[in-house]
Amino acid sequence: MEKIKLTIALSGLNNIDSPGPGIPVTRGLRDSLKIDPKIIGLAYDNLEPGPYMHELIDKTYKVPYPSDGIEPLLERIRYIHEKEHIDVLIPNFDSELFTFMKSEKILKEMGIRTFLPTMQQFEERHKSNLPQFGEKYGINVPYSEPIGSIMDFRKIEDKFEYPVVVKGKFYDAYIAYDFEQIGIYFNKIAAKWGLPIVIQEFVKGTEVNVVALGDGNGNTIGAVPMRKTYITDKGKGWGGITLEDPVMLELTHKIISQTNWRGGMELELIRTSDNELYMIEINPRLPAWVYLAVAAGQNLPEALVLLAMGMEVKPFTHYDVGKMFIRYSYDMICDLKEFEQLSTKGEL
């Protein structure tokens, strides 16, 4: 079968100690038997490693932060599109999804396809809305409350037992063992990601995750469960192994069918000693460990691109159990000229 030539733009190229999904998604696309991709990197920072990984990324453009507003970002995308003729755009950061979802119609008019959750799907799974989400769909979730100041927590302190989890609206989570620690983590996260901050009940157990892809009509195109075997001090999985777990898969199918989820997702779950599953988070995009799913037999990045192109994609029926990933750091050698080019011209 002849491969389809597609130009795919994607972000999340910060392959560092808290890696973005851009490079793993790219690796999945490079492995595709159906797509011959030209990969256009969208970089927010000159020191993201992705732009210098020329064997994976064909061309990189600097883009303005989503916090700068929709118009500057769209203007930059228009410029890139004129030069590269983008077929599909895959945003890989939670913090930029809102901007791209709002711009979905404009991008489509330009000829750029995306495959993102709807605004309702995105909003109702927010960390601050998780208790209502759990109630609506009959899923165990830890009790949580959003707060706008430290003193807000004083008013609801009696609803919690220590330790509690302090979470940012996009990223970061810390376990706090007393009020003083809540204050420290509140300020740390708020300075980085803004308000509200979510205080969540701490559920003791084993952290397990599922990467999945929904077709927008209630069907699960693929889902692979994983247990983290090594976790960094930032709470990031530095190693993991695929699991045979019908209960986790059943929960994933339930969420996707009830919400008609569109696009990639990651379910973050805790399995208690009583073997109960609690959902602590839904990330509305493919996670940084998605290449494990590709290696286990489900090329979800490829499937996402084909869905974005409006093509029929049959659900995956199998994945290899016992596949492991182990992350490692690597000193990549670059030329200062390349760094200067990305810094001054905004292109590499």
Side-chain angles (χ1 to χ4, degrees), residues 145-318:
E145 288 268 6
I147 59 170
S149 72
I150 308 289
M151 294 325 292
D152 283 353
F153 181 69
R154 278 289 189 215
K155 297 169 194 167
I156 56 168
E157 197 169 3
D158 59 347
K159 295 181 180 179
F160 291 91
E161 280 182 22
Y162 287 105
V164 296
V165 185
V166 185
K167 291 187 159 190
K169 61 179 179 179
F170 294 125
Y171 303 105
D172 289 350
Y174 299 95
I175 298 169
Y177 291 87
D178 55 33
F179 182 74
E180 190 183 342
Q181 284 190 340
I182 288 175
I184 293 165
Y185 297 139
F186 179 98
N187 292 327
K188 190 175 181 178
I189 298 170
K192 199 171 177 185
W193 301 113
L195 299 171
I197 301 297
V198 176
I199 306 294
Q200 191 177 72
E201 171 195 358
F202 176 75
V203 178
K204 195 177 179 185
T206 306
E207 192 179 328
V208 286
N209 302 63
V210 184
V211 57
L213 178 64
D215 71 350
N217 298 312
N219 303 306
T220 302
I221 296 298
V224 176
M226 176 271 282
R227 175 173 55 81
K228 291 177 181 177
T229 53
Y230 186 89
I231 299 173
T232 68
D233 55 357
K234 287 191 174 181
K236 298 293 171 187
W238 211 249
I241 185 166
T242 57
L243 304 172
E244 185 173 3
D245 200 309
V247 179
M248 284 168 72
L249 289 173
E250 197 180 307
L251 177 63
T252 307
H253 289 298
K254 178 182 176 180
I255 291 169
I256 288 176
S257 67
Q258 289 188 339
T259 60
N260 286 330
W261 189 267
R262 186 170 182 263
M265 69 150 59
E266 178 191 26
L267 296 182
E268 294 191 15
L269 308 162
I270 297 285
R271 171 169 276 121
T272 67
S273 53
D274 299 333
N275 220 21
E276 274 194 295
L277 279 177
Y278 279 80
M279 188 175 73
I280 55 170
E281 222 164 284
I282 296 182
N283 294 315
R285 36 89 194 148
L286 295 173
W289 59 273
V290 66
Y291 194 68
L292 177 65
V294 178
Q298 297 197 9
N299 195 332
L300 301 182
E302 173 196 83
L304 186 143
V305 167
L306 295 175
L307 287 168
M309 292 299 295
M311 298 171 77
E312 188 191 353
V313 179
K314 288 182 178 163
F316 293 100
T317 55
H318 170 79

Side-chain angles (χ1 to χ4, degrees), residues 7-24:
T7 300
I8 300 161
L10 45 76
S11 63
L13 307 178
N14 64 329
N15 215 33
I16 52 170
D17 61 340
S18 179
I23 296 302

